[in-house]
Amino acid sequence: LMTSVKMMKAMMGAREAKKFEKEAKQELKKMLDAQKTDYDRRIAGYKRNKDACDEAAFKLMDFSADAKIQLEEFLATFNPDSDKQLELLVALGFVTAGDRITP
């Protein structure tokens, strides 16, 4: 943000840059507040449905259906490049099915 303000100051003058900085900070605060609200909502949803979420997550991780999480299953699920990690986050309620759509 500060780099942008410095560039704007050089291009449009101190007064306009100050206005831009104020507006940018207001927008950033709105975005951060919205993210915190969303985060709090998702955590509360998980806590309300903890047992069901945990059961769904366990079933997702237990590929072999032996009622145990094997090391390979754990590693495959928590691999950041795997689809399983996203599926786990959906099962826990931290990500919605709509969030899973990536460009």
Side-chain angles (χ1 to χ4, degrees):
L1 179 62
M2 296 312 296
T3 303
S4 297
V5 170
K6 287 178 185 177
M7 286 177 23
M8 296 300 285
K9 189 183 266 189
M11 292 181 346
M12 51 168 60
R15 185 181 312 168
E16 291 297 318
K18 244 344 181 187
K19 182 180 173 187
F20 171 78
E21 179 181 7
K22 183 179 177 182
E23 291 171 359
K25 283 182 178 180
Q26 289 171 342
E27 288 301 312
L28 181 59
K29 182 176 180 343
K30 284 181 194 176
M31 251 184 8
L32 292 174
D33 289 347
Q35 286 177 345
K36 178 162 181 5
T37 299
D38 184 56
Y39 170 81
D40 291 344
R41 181 183 53 78
R42 291 177 193 228
I43 294 297
Y46 168 75
K47 288 179 179 179
R48 270 192 314 277
N49 302 305
K50 184 180 182 332
D51 290 340
C53 289
D54 290 351
E55 183 178 344
F58 187 88
K59 285 180 182 177
L60 179 84
M61 292 176 69
D62 185 18
F63 310 153
S64 61
D66 63 355
K68 297 175 187 170
I69 304 298
Q70 306 300 323
L71 178 60
E72 297 81 23
E73 295 168 329
F74 178 87
L75 293 174
T77 302
F78 284 92
N79 177 345
D81 296 326
S82 78
D83 290 337
K84 286 288 183 188
Q85 186 181 46
L86 281 174
E87 292 173 27
L88 177 67
L89 293 173
V90 171
L92 293 171
F94 298 141
V95 174
T96 66
D99 293 336
R100 292 181 59 193
I101 301 169
T102 55

